[in-house]
Amino acid sequence: MSIPIWGLLRLFIVLKVIQILIIYFTPGQFDTSSQLIISQLESPFPKVVTTILDKLIVWDSVYFNDMFINPAKYENQLVFCPGWIAFIKLFPVENYYSLQLLSIAISNICHFASAILLYAITRGMYDGKISELSSAFIILSPTAGVFLTTNYSENISNFLTLLCFYLYFISVNFQDYSKTSNKSIAHPVTYILSGVIASMGFTVRANGLLLGIIYLIDLYHFVIDQNMNEIILTLTTGSTLFITFASTNIYHYIKFCPARGEWCNSYFPSLFKYAQGRYWNVGLFKYWTPNNIPNFLIVAPAIYINIYSTWYIYKNEVPKNKKILVLVIIHAIILFSGIFFWNAQILNRVTSYSPLVYWTISLHFVDHNKRKWAEYVAGFGILWNVIQTTLFAGFLPPA
Ligand SMILES: *[C@@H]1O[C@H](CO)[C@@H](O)[C@H](O)[C@H]1NC(C)=O
């Protein structure tokens, strides 16, 4: 497999430079609350760099930057991507701006690494052209835009998710016709590693727990096959994710309970569940109120592109390639939860990990009859990147 690294890197750099220029030249900020933070900072960088960094101290980045420096003070801080924060804290850097720049650099490296991983995953199923196009589209990222350039945890979450898929796909033989399920584990160590990576992914983004579905489906298949070795391997791998999930909850419990009351007293005490409802208003139809109509409009294109892609892959590609069914299931759950339970507009970014969208755009792009659709999506993606980057640098929604 020869990966067109330089071509992709060139595209990556061009797009990032355009975004950085937009950020730099966006005049003023609508919300001036971060001026309070900025006025107390000392920058070790030239004025140009500091100006760009200042404009990126908005929305969730305010929060991340604070967490890179200060220990967690409130319970809601603990459920917000602790893995990403702990990772940045590993570096012996103390200055606010230096940490911000470092986290932005790592985030962008993860973005590019995701594009390379997507190439490798895609190449296992399609030709070089489709693979290269898919990588190009994850670099453009039609709906997530600047979120994949600033220091949000999106990029590291996407990277770990794609790495899990990659390791999983190369470790399992999906054409073992001696088994009823046609499936067997060809590389046990790589298989277990995919679960370890999924666990790391969970510490960065709680819905990484959904990757457990991979191992549940495997377990079901291997039980049918009555394949004892594979059952044990799958249980071991799946339980790394489950243990990570359980121990995070236990850690929260020990840290806050029983003094905290409220969520400590529920039957399954979970700070995750409580904090999402309490601080982020997560719950069935909770977000469906008239004042959120703008948020639904902002995410409408992403919802359309993602639902269409998930359906398209399910109809046309899953019959040829059973192994991608699990990606369809995971993505369908994310879309369903995003629309009905979560703050819907986050779908703009939390869907950016999924190969389904990038495959759909690429498959349409190489088909003369369907090319128009891909061109519209790409056109929208470029336009949205410009608009959204401008809004973000101006401290305006979407967040
Ligand atoms: C396994 O492969 C055979 C032959 O291609 C096919 O007929 C069968 O439906 C497959 N089984 C599963 C569970 O996918």
Side-chain angles (χ1 to χ4, degrees):
M1 174 166 59
S2 75
I3 302 175
I5 290 192
W6 297 112
L8 292 171
L9 189 60
R10 202 159 48 219
L11 174 70
F12 184 85
I13 292 171
V14 168
L15 288 169
K16 298 292 176 179
V17 167
I18 293 173
Q19 283 182 337
I20 290 168
L21 287 174
I22 294 174
I23 292 163
Y24 182 77
F25 287 108
T26 298
Q29 291 197 323
F30 180 77
D31 183 331
T32 49
S33 58
S34 54
Q35 292 307 319
L36 222 66
I37 304 170
I38 293 166
S39 63
Q40 296 169 12
L41 300 176
E42 277 197 49
S43 174
F45 302 117
K47 185 96 183 55
V48 183
V49 179
T50 309
T51 305
I52 294 166
L53 290 177
D54 280 344
K55 292 206 175 154
L56 290 174
I57 308 178
V58 293
W59 299 116
D60 292 7
S61 294
V62 175
Y63 181 88
F64 283 125
N65 288 346
D66 178 52
M67 291 288 286
F68 295 150
I69 297 248
N70 300 311
K73 290 188 279 286
Y74 310 106
E75 62 182 12
N76 58 327
Q77 292 179 313
L78 280 179
V79 291
F80 202 150
C81 321
W84 174 227
I85 291 154
F87 178 56
I88 297 300
K89 282 188 162 190
L90 289 178
F91 295 85
V93 177
E94 292 191 348
N95 180 274
Y96 185 97
Y97 283 116
S98 306
L99 278 162
Q100 190 190 0
L101 188 60
L102 174 77
S103 56
I104 289 172
I106 293 173
S107 166
N108 280 280
I109 291 168
C110 288
H111 186 188
F112 190 69
S114 299
I116 301 301
L117 272 174
L118 181 60
Y119 186 95
I121 294 170
T122 312
R123 201 66 186 87
M125 285 168 249
Y126 301 103
D127 62 14
K129 178 93 184 137
I130 296 287
S131 308
E132 189 170 356
L133 280 169
S134 299
S135 296
F137 284 118
I138 198 177
I139 289 172
L140 170 66
S141 179
T143 66
V146 74
F147 295 132
L148 304 190
T149 300
T150 186
N151 60 1
Y152 276 37
S153 60
E154 245 64 40
N155 279 322
I156 189 164
S157 167
N158 291 355
F159 171 72
L160 293 169
T161 307
L162 289 170
L163 186 55
C164 167
F165 291 155
Y166 175 72
L167 295 172
Y168 173 69
F169 285 149
I170 61 167
S171 63
V172 174
N173 176 2
F174 294 90
Q175 278 148 358
D176 186 343
Y177 298 116
S178 67
K179 305 278 164 39
T180 314
S181 67
N182 298 343
K183 223 157 73 169
S184 64
I185 297 171
H187 304 286
V189 176
T190 315
Y191 187 83
I192 293 173
L193 199 57
S194 74
V196 173
I197 297 294
S199 309
M200 290 167 71
F202 169 75
T203 70
V204 171
R205 151 103 14 97
N207 59 29
L209 192 60
L210 290 175
L211 294 180
I213 292 171
I214 296 174
Y215 309 105
L216 286 177
I217 292 177
D218 276 2
L219 183 63
Y220 169 76
H221 280 146
F222 296 141
V223 166
I224 289 178
D225 290 349
Q226 299 184 331
N227 191 337
M228 208 52 207
N229 279 342
E230 324 276 82
I231 290 174
I232 292 171
L233 263 174
T234 303
L235 282 174
T236 311
T237 308
S239 52
T240 57
L241 187 54
F242 182 76
I243 290 168
T244 311
F245 168 71
S247 50
T248 319
N249 275 293
I250 292 168
Y251 170 75
H252 291 155
Y253 189 84
I254 292 171
K255 194 166 164 77
F256 294 106
C257 297
R260 173 67 179 82
E262 284 200 74
W263 62 268
C264 297
N265 301 328
S266 42
Y267 195 63
F268 285 110
S270 166
L271 176 54
F272 278 110
K273 195 167 170 305
Y274 173 79
Q276 293 206 323
R278 170 82 171 71
Y279 303 105
W280 286 285
N281 199 28
V282 167
L284 183 61
F285 293 126
K286 274 197 176 171
Y287 210 61
W288 286 42
T289 55
N291 60 328
N292 282 324
I293 290 173
N295 285 318
F296 277 97
L297 290 179
I298 276 170
V299 75
I303 290 179
Y304 160 70
I305 294 168
N306 277 281
I307 290 182
Y308 174 78
S309 300
T310 308
W311 173 84
Y312 182 86
I313 297 289
Y314 178 69
K315 278 291 241 212
N316 301 286
E317 302 302 311
V318 171
K320 292 180 237 163
N321 243 320
K322 285 264 160 40
K323 65 176 174 180
I324 51 183
L325 179 62
V326 67
L327 301 197
V328 170
I329 294 172
I330 292 172
H331 206 55
I333 295 174
I334 289 184
L335 288 174
F336 182 83
S337 314
I339 295 168
F340 294 106
F341 288 82
W342 302 341
N343 301 357
Q345 79 279 4
I346 67 167
L347 284 175
N348 267 327
R349 48 193 171 90
V350 300
T351 55
S352 63
Y353 80 92
S354 182
L356 304 182
V357 174
Y358 309 117
W359 289 340
T360 304
I361 306 174
S362 307
L363 289 166
H364 280 61
F365 200 80
V366 296
D367 181 335
H368 284 296
N369 299 319
K370 296 178 179 151
R371 188 171 175 133
K372 268 270 164 296
W373 187 85
E375 287 174 352
Y376 282 131
V377 172
F380 164 78
I382 293 167
L383 189 68
W384 178 240
N385 260 271
V386 172
I387 295 173
Q388 184 238 10
T389 304
T390 312
L391 292 171
F392 190 79
F395 211 153
L396 283 159

